[in-house]
Amino acid sequence: MDSQTIRILLDGEPVEVAGVAPTTSLLAWLRAARGLTGTKEGCNEGDCGACTVVVATLAGDGTALELASINACLCFLPTLDGKAVFTVEYLRAQAGGELHPVQQALVNCHGSQCGFCTPGFAMSLWALYNACVADGSRPDAARIRSTLTGNLCRCTGYRPIVEAGERMFDRPARVLDREALRRQLLAQQRTTPLDYTHAGARFVAPRTLAALLELRARHPEATLLAGGTDVGVWVNKQLRTLSPLLYLGEVAELHGVEEDDGVLHVGAGASLTTAFAALARHWPELGELWERFASPPVRNAGTLGGNVANGSPIGDAMPALIALGARVVLASVRGRRSLALEDFYLDYMKKDLAADELVAAIELPRSAAGLRFRTWKLSKRFDSDISAVCGAFALRLQDGVVRAPRIAFGGMAATPRRAARTEAALDGRPWDEVTLALAVQALALDFDPLTDLRASASYRRRAAAGLLRRFFLETRADAPLAPAQTRVFAAFDPGAAVPHGEDA
Ligand SMILES: Cc1cc2nc3c(=O)[nH]c(=O)nc-3n(C[C@H](O)[C@H](O)[C@H](O)COP(=O)(O)OP(=O)(O)OC[C@H]3O[C@@H](n4cnc5c(N)ncnc54)[C@H](O)[C@@H]3O)c2cc1C
Ligand code: FES
Ligand code: FES
């Protein structure tokens, strides 16, 4: 199969693409080259959801199909080779011009005013609709709201849109023929890896870890591309030129989530949706962070490995992973090594990662019973916002005495970091108000945070101390408070909603 042609199943029709830069976004191509202008550009950086489309991918060696909403603005075209893309135009075309039940419900509930955001909402709802039609479930308002956290609307106020999500099942079901789609996708799989070049810019999608590591060793200047939710923003907003791109998405060895000898092994290429689902099964305390990490389309595309490898000081996964004792597994042609995640971060955006290495996995020891663990993200908005401070706390109590505390913060230093003095102040002491006061004093010495557009240094210090106190109130041996008693989000109980990014 021609390695210079990208093959996509677009709205059910096979399409071949050539002669475009490898960093061309799906959004730009849909609108400019295909005339599919239903998919809108709002922000071009994954924030507004106006560009939401649904992508279907073969899974399980071609025996299964996964559908997920993604942001077309952050998706480079060659990553879609061998996949199916559904745009808002598909919904109507399917029934010869009649509106799809999702679209009709938006009309009936007055869920659209200026209409700019509407295609994105329709596609997020369509992803949910398909999932519900497939498993016979009906979403409640909390699940619909959770599905729509990546879609912004300036006009309607959301209530009519959420109502449309409830009413979209009123009409006769429009069932997607998954089996036909699976067979269509199987037929268009290539036998050799995509190695695509245009105007000197190269995109390679190796199929095995060995091939990827070999390429990495030969091209230390290459940019590794996983979900592209960080890299896509560099291209769209910083106008960066990246070549070659080594795409991790086709390397099955990087996608698995397994448990072995009490260690949870999350492949670096597992999507944030898949990774958080696995993590939250073991540590349900991660549920709120999962819900508040970006939005379903970003979590469906982005990976846990990308979050860890990018290593932003305000990345949200790291504090929790560090508190849980995670290790990062690095791979190169020279072999593998693993190190405690906190030791991976050397300085601002500097990591202990050689030019020929990549992050292969994140490993977490399954904790024995009795771990008291919490993680909280503080940001200006509840949904889809960047943290000012993110804190994670873990300890055990033995006869009321603190053992093995692990406390980590994002937003407090140039890297995600442990609070070493705070941990020392806690270790071996009774978990009471006196120890808490000592720990709060130690915390003030642990970090010297910055003032920036998200928060002042003094806010960060006080907020971090407040989170430590909240952790105490919820985990003290004597009269611990329930999470609902310390939560300030009165109108929304994230415990009631499980994120449903991967609605298929
Ligand atoms: C709208 C929006 C909202 C967001 N919200 C949040 C949020 O709430 N919290 C948060 O923490 N982040 C957030 N992010 C950032 C981003 O989604 C995450 O960092 C995500 O996990 C990145 O994963 P990715 O697979 O998309 O990485 P990519 O963009 O593909 O890569 C990111 C970086 O990591 C490198 N890389 C990727 N995989 C590997 C690997 N296996 N080994 C070595 N290097 C690798 C790449 O070369 C690049 O430098 C948001 C982003 C957007 C656009
Ligand atoms: S254009 Fe705003 S999320 Fe893509
Ligand atoms: S209807 Fe105008 S932005 Fe949503």
Side-chain angles (χ1 to χ4, degrees), residues 252-316:
E253 291 129 291
L254 292 177
H255 288 248
V257 177
E258 291 149 25
E259 191 170 343
D260 200 8
D261 281 341
V263 174
L264 184 66
H265 174 105
V266 183
S271 74
L272 288 158
T273 303
T274 303
F276 267 112
L279 292 167
R281 260 196 300 280
H282 293 294
W283 296 279
E285 298 90 342
L286 284 165
E288 183 177 314
L289 185 71
W290 178 10
E291 173 76 27
R292 299 190 58 202
F293 192 118
S295 61
V298 170
R299 296 195 299 261
N300 290 340
T303 61
L304 188 65
N307 199 237
V308 165
N310 195 43
S312 161
I314 43 173
D316 284 330

Side-chain angles (χ1 to χ4, degrees), residues 27 40-52 71-74 150:
L27 175 63
K40 303 288 186 239
E41 177 178 329
C43 63
N44 213 18
E45 58 180 334
D47 274 320
C48 73
C51 67
T52 307
N71 299 115
C73 64
L74 295 180

Side-chain angles (χ1 to χ4, degrees), residues 409-454:
F409 279 95
M412 294 292 286
T415 63
R417 235 184 60 194
R418 277 176 82 174
R421 290 186 178 89
T422 313
E423 291 176 1
L426 293 172
D427 205 6
R429 292 213 169 79
W431 198 205
D432 58 16
E433 287 280 359
V434 176
T435 302
L436 175 67
L438 289 173
V440 167
Q441 280 173 17
L443 184 60
L445 301 173
D446 263 323
F447 296 104
D448 186 14
L450 285 178
T451 292
D452 65 12
L453 74 159
R454 288 195 186 88

Side-chain angles (χ1 to χ4, degrees), residues 269-494:
S271 74
L272 288 158
T273 303
T274 303
F276 267 112
L279 292 167
R281 260 196 300 280
H282 293 294
W283 296 279
E285 298 90 342
L286 284 165
E288 183 177 314
L289 185 71
W290 178 10
E291 173 76 27
R292 299 190 58 202
F293 192 118
S295 61
V298 170
R299 296 195 299 261
N300 290 340
T303 61
L304 188 65
N307 199 237
V308 165
N310 195 43
S312 161
I314 43 173
D316 284 330
M318 286 71 91
L321 294 174
I322 291 172
L324 290 171
R327 296 184 71 78
V328 59
V329 180
L330 308 176
S332 72
V333 282
R334 296 173 288 116
R336 284 184 173 239
R337 64 186 175 112
S338 99
L339 62 161
L341 182 55
E342 58 269 35
D343 296 336
F344 182 54
Y345 301 112
L346 303 177
D347 203 344
Y348 178 68
M349 299 306 265
K350 285 212 180 95
K351 284 135 288 196
D352 184 352
L353 184 74
D356 63 349
E357 281 181 318
L358 53 81
V359 175
I362 293 99
E363 292 184 342
L364 291 112
R366 276 298 323 280
S367 29
L371 184 78
R372 290 161 199 241
F373 167 64
R374 297 287 187 280
T375 183
W376 293 292
K377 162 175 178 166
L378 298 180
S379 59
K380 288 180 184 153
R381 287 196 313 257
F382 181 84
D383 290 316
S384 204
D385 201 0
I386 310 256
S387 290
V389 175
C390 184
F393 310 83
L395 54 74
R396 288 173 198 289
L397 288 184
Q398 198 177 45
D399 301 326
V401 171
V402 175
R403 298 286 176 214
R406 291 180 68 90
I407 295 177
F409 279 95
M412 294 292 286
T415 63
R417 235 184 60 194
R418 277 176 82 174
R421 290 186 178 89
T422 313
E423 291 176 1
L426 293 172
D427 205 6
R429 292 213 169 79
W431 198 205
D432 58 16
E433 287 280 359
V434 176
T435 302
L436 175 67
L438 289 173
V440 167
Q441 280 173 17
L443 184 60
L445 301 173
D446 263 323
F447 296 104
D448 186 14
L450 285 178
T451 292
D452 65 12
L453 74 159
R454 288 195 186 88
S456 65
S458 77
Y459 171 85
R460 287 189 155 105
R461 274 199 206 92
R462 292 174 64 184
L467 291 182
L468 179 57
R469 177 158 192 82
R470 183 175 176 187
F471 178 59
F472 169 72
L473 291 174
E474 288 193 18
T475 60
R476 63 188 173 188
D478 185 25
L481 298 182
Q485 292 173 279
T486 63
R487 182 177 295 137
V488 294
F489 303 110
F492 185 73
D493 175 7

Side-chain angles (χ1 to χ4, degrees), residues 129-187:
Y129 180 89
N130 283 326
C132 292
V133 167
D135 69 12
S137 66
R138 289 292 172 266
D140 59 11
R143 183 170 175 194
I144 296 165
R145 273 199 297 266
S146 173
T147 298
L148 298 177
T149 52
N151 295 91
L152 299 185
C153 177
R154 293 292 163 111
C155 308
T156 61
Y158 301 105
R159 187 196 50 75
I161 302 175
V162 172
E163 203 176 302
E166 290 171 318
R167 299 282 303 279
M168 63 189 176
F169 301 97
D170 289 357
R171 296 164 75 85
R174 191 90 72 76
V175 183
L176 181 72
D177 188 344
R178 285 169 179 256
E179 181 48 25
L181 180 58
R182 188 186 69 81
R183 276 190 265 108
Q184 248 183 316
L185 276 181
L186 262 183

Side-chain angles (χ1 to χ4, degrees), residues 177-228:
D177 188 344
R178 285 169 179 256
E179 181 48 25
L181 180 58
R182 188 186 69 81
R183 276 190 265 108
Q184 248 183 316
L185 276 181
L186 262 183
Q188 74 159 39
Q189 295 309 298
R190 64 174 60 247
T191 46
T192 52
L194 181 68
D195 188 344
Y196 175 87
T197 306
H198 174 73
R202 186 176 174 203
F203 173 102
V204 196
R207 297 274 180 83
T208 63
L209 185 56
L212 173 64
L213 294 177
E214 189 61 41
L215 281 160
R216 184 78 188 128
R218 268 193 282 132
H219 296 284
E221 80 288 7
T223 301
L224 292 169
L225 175 71

